[in-house]
Amino acid sequence: SVNFIFLFILFGAFLQKSGMGQFFNDLALALAGAQRGGPAKVAVVSSGFMGSINGAAVANVVSTGAFTIPLMKKVGYGKNFAGAVEASASVGGQILPPIMGASAFIMAETTGINYGTIALAAMFPALLYYFAVIMQVHYRAGKENLLGIPEADLPRIKEVMKERGHLLLPLIGLVVMLFMNMPIPRAAIFTIFLTIIVASLRKTTRMSLRDIFDGLALGAQQALSVMIACAVVGIIIGVVSLTSFGAIMTSAIAGLGAGSLFLTLFFTMIASMVLGMGLPSIPAYIITATMAAPALAEFGVPILLAHMFVFYFGIFANVTPPVALAAFAGAGIADGDPMKTGFQALKLSLAGFLIPFIFIYEPAMLLVDVEGLMTNAREYPLANFIDVGMVVASTTIGLIALAAGLEGFFKTHLNPLLRVLLVVSALLLVVPEGYTDIIGLGLAIVIFILNYTKWKKETPVPLQ
């Protein structure tokens, strides 16, 4: 908590005071604001960036949601859906490199695996998760015929980068220092000073002495809830250790799994979600790594895969009713129903529940050769790029099919049968078997062609 978490929360507070939040919002508006349903895509992009830095899903919903949720409601998104988009995007920030809400550093400390390996391994799963959320948002906008923000009202990318683009330098510097194997606390302290120096390059981002003191105070305030949670988790882990409850839980999960890897993964998922319920991302990881990950280790799952698996489900407990704190925070800002918002957020985050199963069965998704990593934890041998390409391609098509099936839209409305078939094809595409990929791909392509043909017939031909 003191060596890692506090320093990165402080770093996030200084970035916030320097205007990084405004930079991410403006950049997301410039990139996606004019597209169909643009404000929701802006929410996904900006909340993902900020969530990776501050590591607190609920705090991220409250800070960025105050800007993005009214924008989403303004273009026609329902209040429950708007709150759910912000919640699912904010929660996903904790799985997004390079910082992963400081959890990457705790994972490196816990597993003994190099930070660079963990950041590299987390990249594709996180990008695929955000891709799936954006596709659902896109299809919802198509189904409800929601437009974007007029381009005249949007900032230009060139202007945004010119005005605040230099704020990316501390993040780049942090990644470089960490990949050079600089001790994590030292890298964090250097990055905080670098943020103050870089922010002073332009008048609009320059931090006054008052801003610096406010940043220190904000960091301390934000760190309190995480530190309290870490302290309580420490007590829980102590009790678990003294009573052998962790060993009993591991044995129970293995017993319920009955020798089946899938069942063991399923029960580990349930345990991780229960253990992570209501906790910030770092305490959620600590407690799931202590109590749930050993069950997978007993099954022979490599340590990186096991810890990444429980990390995902500990985090996504924040959008899983009945204790979906991030979704409840989004509902409060959107003036929506907390439980309806929670279930919408769960639906939007469904890819986050599938991706961990995929990378357990297809470790190539993590870009790391797991077998090579087991021989030397300090290095990160890369996986075969053909294997990486195949698993990423099949998962991408599967997530498109899943998003279209869940929202009932692809170019035009899908009938209930085709929706069900698309969800089935998505599940077939994420199952790690060659023949299931072929069947799922064929089914998805046929449905997409049928609906595209239907859309062409429905679209009036413009007069010459």
Side-chain angles (χ1 to χ4, degrees), residues 133-209:
V133 175
I134 286 174
M135 290 309 297
Q136 278 201 59
V137 161
H138 178 73
Y139 289 139
R140 173 63 65 98
K143 184 168 71 173
E144 298 182 1
N145 198 27
L146 305 179
L147 303 176
I149 302 168
E151 284 196 25
D153 299 336
L154 294 173
R156 299 284 182 269
I157 294 178
K158 186 177 178 181
E159 294 169 1
V160 172
M161 293 303 295
K162 182 180 177 183
E163 193 66 28
R164 298 180 188 269
H166 58 287
L167 294 177
L168 290 173
L169 291 175
L171 285 174
I172 296 168
L174 174 64
V175 173
V176 170
M177 284 186 275
L178 290 170
F179 271 90
M180 290 171 63
N181 291 325
M182 180 180 287
I184 293 170
R186 189 185 302 170
I189 292 169
F190 283 172
T191 308
I192 291 169
F193 283 110
L194 183 60
T195 301
I196 297 170
I197 295 166
V198 167
S200 66
L201 295 177
R202 292 193 70 85
K203 187 178 179 180
T204 50
T205 59
R206 191 170 298 140
M207 298 170 68
S208 65
L209 193 61

Side-chain angles (χ1 to χ4, degrees), residues 323-342:
V323 190
L325 294 187
F328 293 170
I333 297 171
D335 196 26
D337 180 275
M339 289 305 292
K340 288 181 180 177
T341 303

Side-chain angles (χ1 to χ4, degrees), residues 274-299:
V274 172
L275 292 169
M277 205 175 281
L279 287 175
S281 59
I282 294 163
Y285 166 67
I286 294 169
I287 197 167
T288 53
T290 305
M291 298 177 67
L296 298 182
E298 280 203 357
F299 216 97

Side-chain angles (χ1 to χ4, degrees), residues 124-125 128-129 131-132 351 354-355 358-359 362 365 388-402 426 429-431 437:
F124 269 131
L128 286 167
Y129 170 75
F131 172 76
L354 293 176
I355 287 170
I358 299 171
F359 65 61
E362 293 283 1
M365 178 182 278
V388 174
M390 288 179 68
V391 67
V392 170
S394 65
T395 304
T396 301
I397 297 167
L399 293 177
I400 293 171
L402 180 68
L429 277 162
V430 300
V431 171
D437 283 354

Side-chain angles (χ1 to χ4, degrees), residues 1 3-5 102-115 118 184 230 233 237 281-294 297 302-308 310-311 377-378:
S1 181
N3 288 343
F4 302 103
I5 301 166
S103 299
F105 314 117
I106 308 298
M107 194 179 294
E109 184 78 6
T110 305
T111 61
I113 297 172
N114 188 285
Y115 159 80
I118 293 169
I184 293 170
C230 283
V233 165
I237 291 170
S281 59
I282 294 163
Y285 166 67
I286 294 169
I287 197 167
T288 53
T290 305
M291 298 177 67
I303 189 170
L304 175 62
L305 300 183
H307 280 251
M308 200 74 79
V310 299
F311 177 50
R378 301 298 300 170

Side-chain angles (χ1 to χ4, degrees), residues 113 116-122 304-305 362-374 379-384 388:
I113 297 172
T117 306
I118 293 169
L120 187 71
L304 175 62
L305 300 183
E362 293 283 1
M365 178 182 278
L366 300 185
L367 278 173
V368 175
D369 176 8
V370 176
E371 296 299 324
L373 178 63
M374 291 169 71
E379 296 179 1
Y380 41 99
L382 297 180
N384 185 303
V388 174

